[in-house]
Every structure is written in structure tokens, then in C-alpha cells.
Amino acid sequence: QVQLVESGGGLVQPGGSLRLSCAASGFTFSNYVMSWYRQAPAKERDLVAGISSAGSTNYADSMKGRFSISRDNAKNTVYLQMNSLKPEDTAVYYCNAQGWELGRGRVSYWGKGTLVTVSS
């Protein structure tokens, strides 16, 4: 069965840093595009960053220069390094995997999320 388990969330001061991790299992991790999304209270779920199987990355404009996504295919894990955190970064952060499977076509998997709170 497919599992995406996020960790690393918590309370951090404005200007601080945090690294989120997403441990994946149940599929061929190295063949999937991995992404981080976030959802703040009463807000839409928005893309934060994505990384292809080859390591190409993309970021939402508001995260460029502050956040960095990476992956370790040997560990089936994707990371999100967050620096210079702001109160508006407070949200539940979700891990997402997208790929293609025989007999199903395009598939998308989600983790349960980890809460990041930026507050003094």
C-alpha cells in the first residue's frame, strides 16, 4: 500500500528555519514527481515546490529564495528546507506524489500533512 508520511513540523520563530521530511513507500519512488503543498486556515491548498525524478525543481513565487526542495531516491524521501520563515507561512504542509501506473494511468497520492506554525 502507498504511504506518504510527513514529519518535521512544529512551532518556529519568525525568521527561523525548519526542514520537513516525507517518507514514501508502496510505489517506485524514483519514477514519481514529488511535491509539497500547503494549506493555511480558511485558504486554498497551494503548491509550494516540486521536484522531478531527474531532480528538476520548481517553486511558487512567494517561496523562491527561501524554500528548497530535494529528494534522496535511495531513502525514498523528499525534503523541504524552509528558511526565513514568516507568520504567513503558517499552514499544514502536505507531501504529494504523481506518476503513471499500468492499468490506472496517472495517479496522485497525498500524505496526511504536518503543521508548521510560525509565531513569536
Side-chain angles (χ1 to χ4, degrees):
Q1 60 183 12
V2 171
Q3 282 193 298
L4 297 173
V5 182
E6 301 96 334
S7 62
L11 177 64
V12 64
Q13 301 267 20
S17 298
L18 209 60
R19 189 179 77 159
L20 306 182
S21 298
C22 173
S25 61
F27 63 99
T28 308
F29 177 84
S30 61
N31 292 339
Y32 280 66
V33 175
M34 301 299 299
S35 301
W36 288 95
Y37 288 75
R38 73 183 187 186
Q39 187 168 24
K43 299 291 185 180
E44 298 282 319
R45 185 175 298 189
D46 295 323
L47 175 70
V48 175
I51 184 166
S52 74
S53 59
S56 298
T57 60
N58 66 282
Y59 300 90
D61 287 342
S62 62
M63 291 79 175
K64 289 181 179 178
R66 297 192 300 124
F67 291 8
S68 180
I69 189 171
S70 61
R71 67 192 296 161
D72 187 338
N73 288 340
K75 296 181 178 179
N76 286 0
T77 302
V78 62
Y79 305 95
L80 183 68
Q81 178 67 46
M82 305 185 294
N83 301 320
S84 302
L85 285 162
K86 307 172 181 179
E88 52 263 43
D89 294 320
T90 296
V92 176
Y93 285 72
Y94 296 91
C95 181
N96 172 262
Q98 295 184 68
W100 287 83
E101 296 180 0
L102 289 174
R104 296 190 65 192
R106 189 182 181 189
V107 297
S108 181
Y109 302 114
W110 292 93
K112 293 182 178 180
T114 185
L115 177 63
V116 172
T117 303
V118 185
S119 177
S120 59

